[in-house]
Amino acid sequence: MERKWWHDKVAYQIYPKSFLDTNGDGIGDLRGIISKLDYLKSLGIDIIWLSPIYKSPFVDQGYDISDYYAIAEEFGTMEEFDELLAEAKKRDMHIIMDLVINHCSDKHEWFQKALKDPDGEYADYFYFRKGKNGNPPSNYRSYFGGSCWEKVPGTDKYYLHMFAKEQPDLNWENEKLRQKLYEMINWWLDKGLSGFRIDAIINIKKNLDFPDFEPDAEDGLAACYKMVESAEGVGEFLEELKNNTFKKYDAFTVGEVFNMKPEELPEFIGENGHFSTIFDFCAQCLSDGEHGWYDAPKIDFDTWRKAILGSQLETEKYGFKANIIENHDEPRGASRFLPEYAQNPAGIKMLGTVSVLLRGIPFIYQGQEIGMQNAEWNSIDEYDDISTKDQYKAALAAGLSKEQALAACGRMSRDNARTPMQWSDEANAGFTTAKPWLKVNENYKAINVAAQEKDPSSVLNYYRRLVSLRKSDEFRELFTYGRCVPAYEDTDGIMAYYREDANKRVLVVANFGREEAQIKLDGSVKKVLLSNQNNASESAIEVGASELKLESCEVLVVLVEKR
């Protein structure tokens, strides 16, 4: 495998709107990010991914871009962005941005020009299609509910939007449009950006027949991703994209890829893959409901363990995936993947250890490093997220009570990850001096950075030790390129794997069960590298031991004798 500069890096996702407000408008900003670069450096972060900061009406929190070349004034100025790039570079850190090129905002000048001339040049930058018998061209349901087709005013045409109606899909079949997108991407890379997280990218290839599908709900519509799955040839677009942009700059790219065909994995992340890596959503997909959040299944430990370890084995044949516990589109991992008895600092450290030491590129989401959890939501009016409001309506339409619909949103809402970062126990968690754009989680007095900085046994300081171990001179090679070998798969409540190479063998073993567990080792202990039990277990485990005892929610990282 050709070695790349990003292989041994640790990444951190910032949701700028909720990170830190420095100008008192209730919205996080670039100046806030700049002020916390040293904090991120102390965590061991190499790559910072910024969720969208482009000019936008914020119908979908910046994923509806009205000007790809401008910074939203809510976040600051282009000069401040340039300062962020320079300050990150001083600290040997990389900035990557969100790249949203499946769709844009209906306020983008291209779409405005298309509306003025629905038969003209710019109309072909989008999918303008005639309806059928007074109905939309096909029966697709958008990701946010309702038809994917919106009437073009004053015509018999409709335009396609797989997300909100304010997010028209861009027509990648149009070569002129593609070239304009490549120019824009290269403009940012020329500025010194190190790469991109690439949003909803598999959706760029459509089935241009736009066939109807069997309805999958009472609204008579079918999920729009069925059309994406029926399309062929997305790889040709992705190769052209790479060759015209990323490849020239040795840029790091991480794709948000759903609905990929399993056999396509080497094409996406292989030696000459479309992207440097793609996110591993295997655990997040386990709580996909058949009809929505209201029938989302609870996470079953055995299924979760099998999914994570299976994905590791599948991926290492070809390249790396990006490992996550949570992101801006998911609820908090501490509330989702841990049983109630484990939703405490020990359990949160355990979950973090299992994720960060997997083979692949770890992505830590803001607040994960202090164990932020889902908020308590008292009313649908407290939410901002467009998707949450749609899911609430879907739950009510399915016959759930308001209380049940609200509970489903409380478990699954994206706004759980978007509540402001909890910096201190001061008003609004130290995030802002104004009214925050989204409510602050009420547990901020107990869970915040300032308190954890002072506590050597805090989740934050544990994450620092964890990242430091992964990047240490002694173990960097192992944790970057070593194999992941599942272990103790038949032992109830135990999540375990070896990371091994020709020289070393390290066991990562975690007890997700409620009771103490005893593990017989295949080999013997050479050294305990990390424990989440305030180092108590380290002194209790002797060199040469052939058994380990793990309390409930205990995780150990142990160098074991190589066979």
Side-chain angles (χ1 to χ4, degrees):
M1 174 187 289
E2 182 186 354
R3 300 198 168 200
K4 294 289 191 178
W5 65 262
W6 55 78
H7 282 168
D8 59 356
K9 301 296 188 272
V10 175
Y12 187 95
Q13 181 189 355
I14 289 179
Y15 195 72
K17 199 169 184 181
S18 296
F19 192 64
L20 181 61
D21 169 28
T22 60
N23 64 356
D25 64 357
I27 293 173
D29 46 49
L30 289 172
R31 184 64 54 201
I33 297 170
I34 293 167
S35 74
K36 293 296 182 182
L37 288 177
D38 288 336
Y39 166 77
L40 297 176
K41 187 70 178 175
S42 77
L43 188 57
I45 300 304
D46 306 293
I47 297 171
I48 298 169
W49 156 30
L50 304 177
S51 283
I53 55 173
Y54 310 92
K55 189 174 181 182
S56 168
F58 290 95
V59 170
D60 184 24
Q61 291 305 347
Y63 284 90
D64 48 320
I65 297 169
S66 56
D67 186 346
Y68 286 102
Y69 290 92
I71 301 291
E73 61 184 25
E74 291 89 339
F75 297 134
T77 65
M78 189 62 77
E79 289 72 25
E80 285 173 316
F81 178 78
D82 290 339
E83 183 183 342
L84 172 61
L85 281 179
E87 290 297 323
K89 190 174 182 180
K90 283 181 193 173
R91 293 163 176 81
D92 198 25
M93 298 165 84
H94 299 265
I95 303 291
I96 67 171
M97 289 173 76
D98 235 303
L99 186 61
V100 188
I101 47 177
N102 172 69
H103 50 268
C104 64
S105 166
D106 62 349
K107 299 294 187 283
H108 194 287
E109 71 167 323
W110 296 340
F111 192 71
Q112 291 297 308
K113 288 179 177 178
L115 291 180
K116 284 178 183 170
D117 184 4
D119 297 308
E121 175 189 357
Y122 285 94
D124 195 49
Y125 279 30
F126 303 92
Y127 295 97
F128 280 35
R129 295 289 188 275
K130 288 190 175 181
K132 291 180 184 173
N133 305 318
N135 294 314
S138 57
N139 68 336
Y140 308 150
R141 182 190 309 105
S142 86
Y143 290 114
F144 295 154
S147 174
C148 274
W149 295 98
E150 186 73 11
K151 204 80 188 284
V152 178
T155 74
D156 59 354
K157 293 182 177 181
Y158 294 76
Y159 69 86
L160 181 74
H161 60 90
M162 296 183 71
F163 293 87
K165 70 180 190 296
E166 297 87 354
Q167 294 169 285
D169 279 48
L170 292 163
N171 177 12
W172 271 70
E173 305 294 332
N174 185 310
E175 185 177 356
K176 191 170 181 182
L177 166 76
R178 296 200 305 273
Q179 293 305 320
K180 287 193 176 184
L181 292 175
Y182 303 156
E183 286 170 19
M184 176 271 295
I185 292 166
N186 291 334
W187 184 84
W188 284 102
L189 291 170
D190 282 334
K191 256 187 176 294
L193 208 64
S194 293
F196 295 94
R197 176 267 189 183
I198 305 166
D199 181 71
I201 192 61
I202 205 164
N203 291 340
I204 64 174
K205 185 65 180 178
K206 318 296 197 226
N207 181 335
L208 298 175
D209 294 332
F210 295 115
D212 282 337
F213 288 92
E214 189 69 29
D216 53 26
E218 292 180 5
D219 59 7
L221 302 176
C224 59
Y225 64 76
K226 293 179 180 176
M227 180 270 291
V228 174
E229 290 175 344
S230 75
E232 298 288 341
V234 70
E236 293 170 23
F237 282 156
L238 296 179
E239 276 302 288
E240 183 183 287
L241 167 63
K242 179 184 78 174
N243 290 327
N244 278 275
T245 57
F246 316 135
K247 190 174 181 181
K248 299 177 183 179
Y249 296 84
D250 197 24
F252 170 66
T253 54
V254 51
E256 183 197 31
V257 177
F258 291 98
N259 309 103
M260 177 184 67
K261 298 171 179 69
E263 66 273 13
E264 291 177 331
L265 184 61
E267 296 172 33
F268 276 81
I269 61 166
E271 195 75 45
N272 294 298
H274 307 315
F275 305 118
S276 311
T277 183
I278 61 174
F279 286 111
D280 190 345
F281 293 120
C282 69
Q284 286 68 29
C285 291
L286 296 178
S287 49
D288 285 349
E290 188 178 348
H291 301 101
W293 291 349
Y294 67 86
D295 62 357
K298 287 192 173 178
I299 299 289
D300 169 73
F301 173 79
D302 289 342
T303 309
W304 172 81
R305 174 176 60 183
K306 185 177 179 182
I308 296 277
L309 295 174
S311 180
Q312 285 280 296
L313 294 178
E314 174 193 45
T315 303
E316 71 178 19
K317 302 174 206 168
Y318 308 116
F320 293 107
K321 280 189 182 173
N323 300 313
I324 66 164
I325 292 174
E326 59 203 33
N327 66 21
H328 67 291
D329 277 338
E330 307 288 344
R332 289 286 180 178
S335 303
R336 184 184 202 175
F337 297 116
L338 292 170
E340 276 192 39
Y341 60 81
Q343 291 179 15
N344 54 46
I348 289 164
K349 293 172 188 176
M350 173 177 70
L351 182 63
T353 308
V354 166
S355 177
V356 168
L357 296 183
L358 288 169
R359 189 177 185 280
I361 298 159
F363 271 70
I364 297 168
Y365 179 71
Q366 69 181 43
Q368 178 185 324
E369 76 275 17
I370 58 169
M372 283 180 66
Q373 300 176 8
N374 285 356
E376 293 284 338
W377 303 90
N378 305 304
S379 156
I380 192 63
D381 298 327
E382 288 186 334
Y383 290 101
D384 178 272
D385 175 39
I386 185 173
S387 182
T388 301
K389 292 174 181 179
D390 171 60
Q391 290 288 340
Y392 181 74
K393 288 177 190 168
L396 293 178
L400 276 71
S401 69
K402 287 184 177 179
E403 291 74 20
Q404 290 169 323
L406 195 64
C409 290
R411 287 191 299 272
M412 298 297 295
S413 174
R414 307 192 297 180
D415 276 347
N416 283 307
R418 300 173 181 187
T419 59
M421 180 69 179
Q422 293 163 210
W423 293 107
S424 71
D425 63 3
E426 296 173 6
N428 297 320
F431 162 71
T432 183
T433 55
K435 182 182 178 184
W437 74 276
L438 186 66
K439 79 171 198 173
V440 174
N441 192 321
E442 292 170 6
N443 68 9
Y444 74 89
K445 287 187 180 292
I447 299 174
N448 63 74
V449 172
Q452 294 195 20
E453 289 277 14
K454 300 171 190 166
D455 177 4
S457 65
S458 67
V459 173
L460 173 60
N461 281 311
Y462 181 84
Y463 257 90
R464 285 174 172 150
R465 294 200 299 277
L466 174 61
V467 173
S468 178
L469 172 62
R470 183 182 173 99
K471 295 171 66 178
S472 66
D473 290 343
E474 189 177 356
F475 293 101
R476 181 187 293 258
E477 182 77 10
L478 172 77
F479 285 126
T480 303
Y481 296 106
R483 296 170 58 224
C484 179
V485 182
Y488 305 103
E489 293 175 274
D490 298 327
T491 307
D492 289 345
I494 296 297
M495 171 61 161
Y497 54 84
Y498 292 101
R499 296 301 311 278
E500 57 181 49
D501 60 17
N503 304 309
K504 296 188 183 79
R505 191 172 187 229
V506 169
L507 174 66
V508 180
V509 56
N511 180 10
F512 280 75
R514 196 188 284 268
E515 308 299 329
E516 180 186 274
Q518 194 147 333
I519 301 294
K520 285 200 168 183
L521 292 175
D522 175 19
S524 60
V525 173
K526 290 180 76 174
K527 186 181 181 183
V528 175
L529 304 177
L530 191 64
S531 161
N532 68 338
Q533 299 290 316
N534 299 336
N535 300 327
S537 298
E538 293 185 28
S539 57
I541 300 170
E542 295 178 3
V543 173
S546 58
E547 286 189 353
L548 296 175
K549 280 185 183 176
L550 292 108
E551 301 293 331
S552 175
C553 300
E554 181 170 7
V555 63
L556 287 166
V557 183
V558 184
L559 181 65
V560 293
E561 190 178 339
K562 184 92 174 107
R563 286 176 298 181

